[in-house]
């Protein structure tokens, strides 16, 4: 399923979203000394390194260049034994689906217990305002199911799990070491701040907006101000920017604040090169440290 879905998205969505400024992925590189990302067309997957342990957050498309780009970062796919899954869409689990090359076949997947119902076939994923039903995803990796509010430890890495339903029924976001919040497809960053993710792709947009407000309150109560890291529109260290429009949807074909940094066609990866991946940390959006820092 992931191979066909990957090829379909590459062709159809490239044509559909050109010039809309919807997808604004980071290029491959390091965000800081602990966090790296790989670009797969419009999507990003992430790697968090602490000591001798590297965990992966989401598994992207069924993407031919994944091992190559991981090599740019000095990360061996065989070293990845733990993968956090925010949700089961093809651009977030393609590299662990049954028809993938199997780079991570020995890795344990961590997935929300509600989201797992898509994988068992109990429910089917629906997009385009529920008009289109996606094929069932098949994954054979060992899975550990997670609950809302659960805290787990992988080595010395602490992971707090938050259920944020709306885009999918069981979408999880992960707060790692109280410093990095991986939001998957919960937040979309426009030039003027964060919105609820793309309206055409949600199971329930009203629920998605409600979930964002609840997430904001939980983080405020905890007193944490993490980096907010999205699956398709980069990162920010600004709490206010991340939740600026939490009560609004990103509608892909309506006018929005122009973002001059947005690519015309985010499926064009010509500027994602090994040289660039090694040349400096990746800029954030509107945050206090949103600058390009040269590595020593």
């Amino acid at each position: 399923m992931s191979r066909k879905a990957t090829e379909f998205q590459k062709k159809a969505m490239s044509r559909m979203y050109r010039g809309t400024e919807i997808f604004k992925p980071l290029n491959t590189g390091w965000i800081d000394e602990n966090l790296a990302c790989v670009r797969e067309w419009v999507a990003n997957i992430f790697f968090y390194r602490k000591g001798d342990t590297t965990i992966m957050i989401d598994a992207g498309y069924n993407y031919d260049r994944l091992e190559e780009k991981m090599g740019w970062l000095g990360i061996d796919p065989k070293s990845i034994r733990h993968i956090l899954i925010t949700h089961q869409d093809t651009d977030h689990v393609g590299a662990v689906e049954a028809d993938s090359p199997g780079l991570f076949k020995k890795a344990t997947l961590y997935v929300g217990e509600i989201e797992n119902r898509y994988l068992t076939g109990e429910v089917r994923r629906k997009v385009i305002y529920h008009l289109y039903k996606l094929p069932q995803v098949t994954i054979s990796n060992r899975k550990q199911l997670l609950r809302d509010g659960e805290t787990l430890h992988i080595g010395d890495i602490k992971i707090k799990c938050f259920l944020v339903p709306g885009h999918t029924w069981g979408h999880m976001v992960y707060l790692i070491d109280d410093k990095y919040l991986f939001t998957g497809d919960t937040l979309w960053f426009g030039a003027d701040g964060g919105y609820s993710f793309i309206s055409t792709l949600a199971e329930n947009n009203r629920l998605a907006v409600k979930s964002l407000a609840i997430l904001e309150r939980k983080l405020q109560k905890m007193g944490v101000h993490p980096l907010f890291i999205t699956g398709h529109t980069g990162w920010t260290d600004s709490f206010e920017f991340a939740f600026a429009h939490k009560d609004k949807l990103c509608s892909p074909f309506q006018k929005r604040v122009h973002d001059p940094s947005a690519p015309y066609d985010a499926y064009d990866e010509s500027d994602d090169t090994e040289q660039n991946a090694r040349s400096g940390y990746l800029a954030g959006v509107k945050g206090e440290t949103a600058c390009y820092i040269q590595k020593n």
Side-chain angles (χ1 to χ4, degrees):
M1 181 266 189
S2 63
R3 174 61 60 185
K4 289 182 178 180
T6 292
E7 290 302 317
F8 173 79
Q9 287 194 28
K10 181 183 177 183
K11 295 175 182 178
M13 292 180 67
S14 173
R15 292 193 297 268
M16 185 184 303
Y17 289 108
R18 286 175 190 168
T20 64
E21 301 182 358
I22 283 293
F23 293 113
K24 298 175 282 187
L26 294 165
N27 280 334
T28 301
W30 290 88
I31 293 172
D32 63 18
E33 65 275 11
N34 300 113
L35 180 60
C37 76
V38 164
R39 177 180 176 180
E40 299 182 344
W41 300 306
V42 301
N44 286 123
I45 61 175
F46 299 94
F47 301 90
Y48 179 69
R49 180 177 64 189
K50 187 176 185 181
D52 295 329
T53 302
T54 300
I55 64 173
M56 184 172 169
I57 300 91
D58 281 334
Y61 285 108
N62 190 334
Y63 182 73
D64 291 336
R65 300 183 64 195
L66 177 53
E67 186 170 14
E68 173 196 351
K69 290 187 178 182
M70 289 178 68
W72 299 352
L73 306 171
I75 301 173
D76 183 352
K78 295 184 180 65
S79 71
I80 303 299
R81 296 304 176 95
H82 307 278
I83 305 176
L84 304 176
I85 300 296
T86 60
H87 64 295
Q88 61 86 64
D89 286 347
T90 295
D91 55 336
H92 292 260
V93 297
V96 292
E97 287 196 49
D99 64 345
S100 74
L103 290 176
F104 311 106
K105 59 185 177 182
K106 294 184 179 180
T108 296
L109 304 187
Y110 299 81
V111 61
E113 59 182 1
I114 296 174
E115 193 72 7
N116 189 57
R117 296 175 64 209
Y118 290 112
L119 304 179
T120 62
E122 295 173 69
V123 294
R124 289 280 296 277
R125 177 76 167 106
K126 298 175 183 177
V127 295
I128 317 298
Y129 301 116
H130 279 207
L131 297 175
Y132 185 67
K133 189 180 291 186
L134 298 180
Q136 183 180 346
V137 170
T138 302
I139 295 173
S140 58
N141 289 60
R142 177 181 177 272
K143 292 182 292 183
Q144 180 172 327
L145 302 186
L146 306 173
R147 300 180 304 277
D148 182 30
E150 179 177 351
T151 299
L152 68 145
H153 291 83
I154 298 175
D156 293 332
I157 300 172
K158 183 180 76 170
I159 303 161
K160 180 78 171 179
C161 309
F162 298 94
L163 177 65
V164 189
H167 181 71
T168 63
W169 295 119
H171 194 298
M172 282 281 190
V173 303
Y174 300 103
L175 179 65
I176 294 185
D177 285 338
D178 293 332
K179 297 179 180 178
Y180 306 90
L181 186 73
F182 295 91
T183 67
D185 287 0
T186 296
L187 279 169
W188 179 88
F189 290 158
D192 57 341
Y195 291 73
S196 182
F197 198 71
I198 302 171
S199 60
T200 54
L201 302 177
E203 294 279 11
N204 188 311
N205 281 305
R206 183 176 297 178
L207 179 60
V209 168
K210 180 180 178 181
S211 294
L212 267 186
I214 293 171
L215 176 63
E216 181 185 32
R217 289 197 295 270
K218 287 180 178 179
L219 295 174
Q220 288 173 330
K221 185 176 181 180
M222 292 175 65
V224 296
H225 290 79
L227 300 190
F228 293 85
I229 302 151
T230 72
H232 301 277
T233 56
W235 67 274
T236 186
D237 62 0
S238 171
F239 200 106
E240 293 75 18
F241 182 86
F243 290 103
H245 305 284
K246 62 179 180 292
D247 58 338
K248 299 177 183 177
L249 304 171
C250 169
S251 181
F253 305 112
Q254 291 182 359
K255 292 185 67 174
R256 62 185 60 82
V257 176
H258 173 55
D259 186 346
S261 68
Y264 174 73
D265 182 2
Y267 281 87
D268 177 4
E269 294 185 312
S270 57
D271 62 340
D272 191 31
T273 65
E274 182 174 3
Q275 180 179 358
N276 287 341
R278 297 177 182 274
S279 64
Y281 291 135
L282 298 168
V285 182
K286 291 289 185 180
E288 295 175 1
T289 60
C291 58
Y292 192 82
I293 307 170
Q294 293 296 323
K295 289 182 180 177
N296 296 325

